[in-house]
Amino acid sequence: MGGQLGHLAIIFGFGSMLGKLVSDAGGGYRIATTLINKFGRRWIQVAVILASFIIGLALFFEVGLVVVLPIIFIIARELDMPLMYLGIPMAATLNVTHAFLPPHPAPTAITDILGANLGHVLLLGILAAIPTIIIAGPVYNWYYKKYIRVFIVKILIFQFLANIKNSSLKRRLSSVFPF
């Protein structure tokens, strides 16, 4: 366990140093503004997915997360949008590239165990990764925005109504928010 934790600490340490260097040098701001200018506000999730996919091919999930996260913070601040709107597609893309595509450990090990061709595994992994990233990123965000938040608000209103002591106020509010 100590060997594994030591290995992860080195990855996190070097990844955060690399991310901090990119951020302090202005690279994160430059990358963020370039993505915003090229894709615009409407397609910024696609830009985040493409950037995360390219970084996720070369880096482990942990390092990719540390490198891409400052860029996500800058884009969210510049466009004044929720961090989760960009964070979910970024995390989904990094996860999928780490799980589906060689040279990451699990796909490479499975390729070796089954004796498969590494190029075929990479091609099939990319074909499987594309719909997975779309569903786990932008489609999930759309579903969350449309249904889950409304459901959570209804639960909070219902709990508020259940805790009201004044019955006349409770009747008036329950007529506005029927459950």
Side-chain angles (χ1 to χ4, degrees):
M1 187 167 137
Q4 183 67 22
L5 289 176
H7 174 71
L8 286 176
I10 290 172
I11 289 175
F12 275 118
F14 285 135
S16 48
M17 284 184 229
L18 180 62
K20 186 68 172 161
L21 284 172
V22 168
S23 179
D24 286 349
Y29 186 78
R30 177 74 176 146
I31 293 169
T33 54
T34 302
L35 290 174
I36 292 169
N37 291 338
K38 296 285 184 198
F39 287 89
R41 183 180 179 90
R42 181 172 181 198
W43 297 102
I44 197 65
Q45 279 187 344
V46 173
V48 167
I49 288 171
L50 289 175
S52 299
F53 190 82
I54 292 167
I55 289 171
L57 284 173
L59 301 175
F60 282 159
F61 172 79
E62 302 91 4
V63 180
L65 187 69
V66 173
V67 169
V68 178
L69 211 49
I71 298 168
I72 300 299
F73 282 126
I74 293 168
I75 292 172
R77 185 179 62 229
E78 289 292 316
L79 293 178
D80 192 31
M81 58 179 38
L83 200 55
M84 294 302 286
Y85 183 76
L86 302 172
I88 289 173
M90 181 250 336
T93 304
L94 288 174
N95 273 320
V96 168
T97 56
H98 190 77
F100 287 12
L101 304 175
H104 297 289
T108 305
I110 291 171
T111 302
D112 187 44
I113 290 169
L114 296 177
N117 184 347
L118 199 60
H120 289 137
V121 172
L122 184 61
L123 180 64
L124 292 173
I126 289 173
L127 291 176
I130 291 170
T132 306
I133 290 169
I134 291 169
I135 291 169
V139 172
Y140 175 77
N141 265 347
W142 173 81
Y143 180 80
Y144 174 78
K145 186 177 178 182
K146 187 165 180 146
Y147 295 109
I148 303 294
R149 283 190 1 199
V150 172
F151 181 68
I152 291 171
V153 168
K154 285 184 179 181
I155 288 174
L156 293 174
I157 291 170
F158 181 73
Q159 287 177 342
F160 174 73
L161 289 175
N163 292 328
I164 292 178
K165 303 278 190 233
N166 187 347
S167 61
S168 64
L169 178 62
K170 190 174 188 175
R171 273 186 269 123
R172 279 188 271 149
L173 285 175
S174 62
S175 67
V176 174
F177 301 109
F179 291 102

